[in-house]
Amino acid sequence: MTFVALALLLAGSPANAAMNQEQMVQLLRTLDDRQQNNGDYKSLVYLEQKEKDKTDVVREAIVYRRSADQKLMILFSKPKSEQGKGYLRLEKNLWSYDPNVGKWERRTERERIAGTDSRRADFDESRLAEEYDPSDEGEDKLGAYSVHKVSLKVKDGVDVAFPIVKLWVDNETSNILKRQEFALSGRLMRTLYYPRWQKLYSESKKGDFWYPPEIRIYDEVEKANSTIVLIKTVDLHSLETNIFTKAWFESKSR
Amino acid sequence: MLQLLLIAARNLVQHRRRTLLLGGAIGAVTALLVILIELSTGLRATILRSATTLMTGHVNVAGFYKVTPGQSAPVVTQYEKVLATVRQTVPEIDYIVERGRGWAKVISDTGSVQVGLGGVDIEHEPGLHKVLRIVQGNLDELAQPNTILIFEDQAKKLDVKVGDTLTISAPTPRGTNNTLDLRVVAIAKDLGLLSAFNVFMPATSLRALYQFREDSTGALMVYLKNIRLVPAVHTRLRNALQKAGYTMMDEDPKPFWQKFESVNREDWTGQRLDITNWDDEVSFVMYTVTALDVLTGALTFILLVIIAVGVMNTMWIAIRERTREIGTLRAIGMQRARVLWMFVTEAFVLGLSTTVSGAVLGMLICALLNAAHISVPIGVQLFLMNDRLTLLADPVKIFLSVLFITFCTSAISLIPSLLAARMKPITAMHYIG
């Protein structure tokens, strides 16, 4: 249903006819809706970090999410030095845990995850319509793909890592193919590519849930740095009720 | 007493070889101790001079502002009101510097470094001109917006020179990423650990980077006419600001950048002030002074034990050689106590004359090393906080060292001297050595 709505929306906006504000907001809602499953989520994630003059590091983690109260948990399992470390988001607070020191540290929601180029938002549910005001930038070409370009500006009073975002949405599949994020100064900070999208039927949503199995993140300030996020084995079944607690996290960290 | 001194001096002269050997050892230990003391004093003075200009005042009124419990910024908001209270409370002020504070990534085309930012108003920073040695560019150009001063090692890592552009990237207190492009206007000589993590930029640019308001600063760095007043002023300021209605952070003698973790863990939001002094802010580098002091103490102890054994052996030999003389002196009426003092005086004269000579020699070596302006390798610079070896005499410490070594040599001679004094005159006179 959402796919049809989005396809109609994009199809109805030829290069010379820009979308109006209402259509743009609807587009964001649809993009968000495609990536939300209104239930629980669990996936196995690999993060491959490349940094200049450093050896590449691959981390394995399990991501847990619950739509109802916007909870998120990232628990690292590999390499051995990272085992048991992770993040837990509780009531707008992001907590980081290190089993070596046995302490929880409150972190900003917008900081890098495990020092990579990824952010919490890359693993969380999409909330574009809630956080940004869109503006239309018309049709564009991304390699062989015809895309619709959308510019987003953060809403007043909302805290995000990047106040300006540009999206390239595929006209044919309605998937986000490219995303660019800018600092307050207007400088380009990150470029993200989503080469593939997959869908799963979600029981809780009673509809399709879309996710990108691969995200390529390029640091545009330190050009040599990049991170590849691979999302594997997505499970949309219900999780244990008390899973999003510090105690549960610590028990898994041991 | 004069008689005893005369006997001691004559005996020492008579046994010239033994005296020279033992005296040389005592003198060498004293000279070494004096050099180590001067090195430690020089290091402490360098840290005090450099640190109290680069990163801290004698007393600092700083603090944190938290928008949410998890996000803190090293900021004092509405600082002019705080400044008025400080001026009212501390009449001993020499001058006050307002310094912006931040922690950010400095990025060039080829590399990046994580550094502490110092937001300065260069026209009101007399100390920086005295402490920083500019090797390229002009420090006064920091008056222009969007400029930066970096240190030699940072310039090397980032592969930049004066005129090149660097990007600074940091999140604002609300967690939104921001960047600023700054032109390198000056490159200063390294100052060890103190310069490894610091750069300076105009306070206005720092405010722009973090989106701070005009009435905010990082810290009010208070400089006193007399540094000995620091503890008293520290306590007085804390009480006065508390009385003026400001919420104070708990006392924690650490530099501000080591407090982020604990501050972020606490649940409060808004402004809290923190009073620290120069000792707290440089505690992370003072370990080098402590390590040097411990090394000096350990080395002195070992050398003193060796000297003690030497003194004791020498006294044993002297007593054995002079047993018949002791017997004769006792037979003609010399009291036991006087025999005891005769040998102790000999050790005292030896100790005093050689420690004084050693101290003079040590001071001469230090003066020569200072005059030679010896450059030290980069690894050593990190700990010396300077690119040159600086030694500084502390007359009180040197005087106490001379007294201590003399006391030790005299005290250790008490054991053989006591045994000599307890000899029976008849036995001593018949002694055939």
Side-chain angles (χ1 to χ4, degrees):
Chain A
M1 179 67 188
T2 52
F3 172 74
V4 176
L6 187 62
L8 284 172
L9 210 61
L10 292 173
S13 60
N16 54 357
M19 282 196 254
N20 62 33
Q21 191 60 24
E22 206 175 308
Q23 285 174 310
M24 294 299 304
V25 174
Q26 185 53 44
L27 170 67
L28 290 193
R29 282 198 194 119
T30 313
L31 287 172
D32 287 342
D33 186 59
R34 278 160 59 90
Q35 294 172 65
Q36 286 169 355
N37 76 316
N38 305 332
D40 288 350
Y41 164 102
K42 180 185 171 185
S43 68
L44 181 68
V45 169
Y46 292 94
L47 289 102
E48 188 184 344
Q49 183 185 15
K50 291 174 191 288
E51 278 190 303
K52 195 190 172 194
D53 302 329
K54 286 185 185 169
T55 320
D56 294 355
V57 182
V58 180
R59 293 175 174 84
E60 183 190 85
I62 302 170
V63 177
Y64 301 89
R65 268 182 358 209
R66 177 162 288 158
S67 305
D69 37 16
Q70 299 189 351
K71 280 176 177 157
L72 172 78
M73 189 160 67
I74 303 169
L75 175 62
F76 287 96
S77 47
K78 280 176 190 166
K80 214 170 171 60
S81 57
E82 299 285 310
Q83 204 171 16
K85 290 182 185 176
Y87 297 86
L88 175 61
R89 184 183 196 255
L90 290 171
E91 293 162 358
K92 296 259 173 192
N93 284 315
L94 187 69
W95 294 89
S96 149
Y97 183 72
D98 184 348
N100 299 321
V101 286
K103 273 200 296 194
W104 285 93
E105 271 179 40
R106 204 195 304 253
R107 312 300 275 257
T108 157
E109 274 201 287
R110 292 161 283 283
E111 78 165 24
R112 292 160 181 266
I113 295 295
T116 67
D117 290 303
S118 66
R119 300 289 204 284
R120 186 267 314 158
D122 299 325
F123 304 95
D124 211 346
E125 288 189 326
S126 176
R127 295 188 191 97
L128 294 172
E130 198 182 304
E131 294 170 341
Y132 293 95
D133 286 324
S135 62
D136 188 16
E137 293 210 355
E139 296 291 309
D140 197 4
K141 273 276 184 194
L142 193 65
Y145 296 93
S146 292
V147 293
H148 199 89
K149 202 170 160 189
V150 184
S151 182
L152 309 177
K153 195 166 175 261
V154 69
K155 287 181 176 174
D156 286 343
V158 176
D159 294 330
V160 289
F162 302 102
I164 304 160
V165 173
K166 286 185 197 295
L167 298 176
W168 281 256
V169 183
D170 186 5
N171 280 340
E172 204 174 309
T173 61
S174 310
N175 290 324
I176 297 172
L177 296 183
K178 181 181 171 183
R179 175 180 171 130
Q180 283 193 327
E181 296 168 331
F182 299 81
L184 265 175
S185 59
R187 187 185 174 112
L188 176 61
M189 302 293 284
R190 293 201 310 169
T191 298
L192 296 89
Y193 290 98
Y194 303 86
R196 287 181 296 132
W197 284 83
Q198 275 184 7
K199 66 175 179 179
L200 278 175
Y201 182 74
S202 164
E203 276 295 335
S204 51
K205 189 181 177 183
K206 304 286 181 211
D208 287 337
F209 162 76
W210 288 79
Y211 72 95
E214 182 179 339
I215 310 172
R216 291 176 175 265
I217 306 168
Y218 295 94
D219 191 325
E220 297 288 358
V221 184
E222 288 182 84
K223 297 271 188 190
N225 298 354
S226 66
T227 301
I228 298 172
V229 179
L230 297 173
I231 302 170
K232 307 265 185 193
T233 55
V234 176
D235 181 358
L236 301 179
H237 290 101
S238 293
L239 299 166
E240 288 172 55
T241 322
N242 61 349
I243 192 170
F244 295 95
T245 59
K246 288 181 179 177
W248 189 90
F249 193 104
E250 285 173 31
S251 72
K252 292 290 169 189
S253 277
R254 280 182 209 122
Chain B
M1 190 63 199
L2 194 68
Q3 217 170 23
L4 286 181
L5 281 171
L6 212 63
I7 295 170
R10 276 182 184 160
N11 263 322
L12 288 171
V13 172
Q14 204 171 7
H15 301 95
R16 201 170 298 140
R17 206 169 147 193
R18 198 171 62 202
T19 305
L20 277 176
L21 212 66
L22 190 62
I26 297 171
V29 169
T30 313
L32 183 68
L33 188 61
V34 166
I35 292 168
L36 288 171
I37 286 172
E38 290 209 12
L39 187 63
S40 168
T41 312
L43 185 56
R44 199 179 287 272
T46 308
I47 290 176
L48 179 63
R49 189 172 63 95
S50 306
T52 53
T53 310
L54 294 183
M55 46 194 300
T56 170
H58 294 151
V59 180
N60 306 296
V61 181
F64 289 88
Y65 189 88
K66 298 213 312 183
V67 181
T68 64
Q71 282 169 252
S72 57
V75 176
V76 178
T77 52
Q78 298 181 325
Y79 76 87
E80 275 165 2
K81 282 186 194 167
V82 182
L83 186 62
T85 311
V86 172
R87 285 197 189 283
Q88 208 174 7
T89 315
V90 190
E92 303 94 333
I93 287 172
D94 188 9
Y95 63 98
I96 298 181
V97 167
E98 295 142 29
R99 185 73 67 80
R101 282 173 165 178
W103 184 251
K105 200 172 222 185
V106 179
I107 305 146
S108 71
D109 288 341
T110 53
S112 65
V113 286
Q114 196 78 38
V115 290
L117 305 174
V120 297
D121 179 358
I122 198 68
E123 285 163 17
H124 297 103
E125 289 266 8
L128 283 183
H129 287 87
K130 288 179 198 159
V131 168
L132 294 176
R133 284 194 286 145
I134 306 297
V135 287
Q136 247 189 73
N138 183 358
L139 181 59
D140 292 322
E141 281 194 50
L142 270 185
Q144 295 168 21
N146 298 343
T147 51
I148 189 169
L149 173 143
I150 58 173
F151 290 88
E152 267 185 321
D153 191 44
Q154 293 161 347
K156 205 170 150 191
K157 273 184 192 155
L158 296 166
D159 193 20
V160 288
K161 54 186 188 308
V162 167
D164 290 349
T165 302
L166 288 171
T167 300
I168 294 205
S169 173
T172 66
R174 300 199 79 92
T176 306
N177 284 282
N178 201 8
T179 62
L180 200 64
D181 288 340
L182 305 175
R183 181 168 54 91
V184 180
V185 289
I187 296 172
K189 259 216 165 309
D190 286 332
L191 288 166
L193 272 177
L194 294 177
S195 64
F197 308 108
N198 277 305
V199 298
F200 293 97
M201 60 193 283
T204 47
S205 302
L206 189 123
R207 285 196 190 103
L209 176 69
Y210 287 102
Q211 305 276 294
F212 290 153
R213 283 167 31 170
E214 277 299 308
D215 63 352
S216 67
T217 189
L220 296 171
M221 290 164 40
V222 180
Y223 294 88
L224 305 174
K225 287 170 190 153
N226 182 358
I227 197 169
R228 285 175 202 277
L229 295 171
V230 165
V233 169
H234 183 130
T235 314
R236 204 189 316 148
L237 258 179
R238 195 177 168 79
N239 293 337
L241 287 165
Q242 214 153 15
K243 215 172 162 185
Y246 292 100
T247 312
M248 309 300 292
M249 285 170 55
D250 293 337
E251 288 272 12
D252 189 8
K254 281 184 198 161
F256 82 95
W257 50 269
Q258 283 186 356
K259 294 181 181 173
F260 279 98
E261 198 182 302
S262 56
V263 168
N264 284 348
R265 215 179 298 133
E266 293 163 9
D267 264 329
W268 54 272
T269 53
Q271 176 77 67
R272 283 199 183 179
L273 294 183
D274 188 25
I275 310 284
T276 57
N277 58 47
W278 75 272
D279 221 6
D280 305 335
E281 293 288 338
V282 297
S283 55
F284 71 103
V285 288
M286 287 306 276
Y287 77 93
T288 52
V289 181
T290 314
L292 192 63
D293 287 346
V294 169
L295 180 76
T296 306
L299 207 63
T300 309
F301 177 76
I302 294 165
L303 292 173
L304 272 177
V305 168
I306 296 168
I307 284 181
V309 172
V311 169
M312 221 147 97
N313 269 336
T314 311
M315 295 306 286
W316 281 123
I317 295 165
I319 288 162
R320 188 176 286 227
E321 283 172 359
R322 292 163 62 191
T323 305
R324 293 176 73 181
E325 182 191 326
I326 294 166
T328 313
L329 287 169
R330 291 279 288 117
I332 59 170
M334 189 182 256
Q335 296 298 308
R336 278 181 175 168
R338 205 152 168 82
V339 174
L340 173 89
W341 282 116
M342 188 174 75
F343 283 99
V344 173
T345 307
E346 193 176 319
F348 173 77
V349 170
L350 175 71
L352 187 67
S353 57
T354 51
T355 48
V356 168
S357 315
V360 171
L361 178 71
M363 285 194 284
L364 269 173
I365 293 170
C366 289
L368 285 173
L369 288 173
N370 272 338
H373 295 296
I374 295 171
S375 294
V376 292
I378 289 169
V380 183
Q381 281 179 29
L382 274 180
F383 303 103
L384 292 185
M385 318 294 157
N386 207 343
D387 59 334
R388 284 181 194 161
L389 193 65
T390 308
L391 301 122
L392 194 68
D394 182 339
V396 177
K397 274 190 181 172
I398 293 172
F399 176 71
L400 288 175
S401 306
V402 166
L403 274 189
F404 179 67
I405 297 176
T406 307
F407 170 77
C408 286
T409 48
S410 308
I412 206 71
S413 70
L414 270 172
I415 305 163
S417 304
L418 263 172
L419 290 171
R422 281 168 61 184
M423 277 183 195
K424 286 183 180 166
I426 189 79
T427 324
M429 283 173 75
H430 282 103
Y431 177 81
I432 299 163

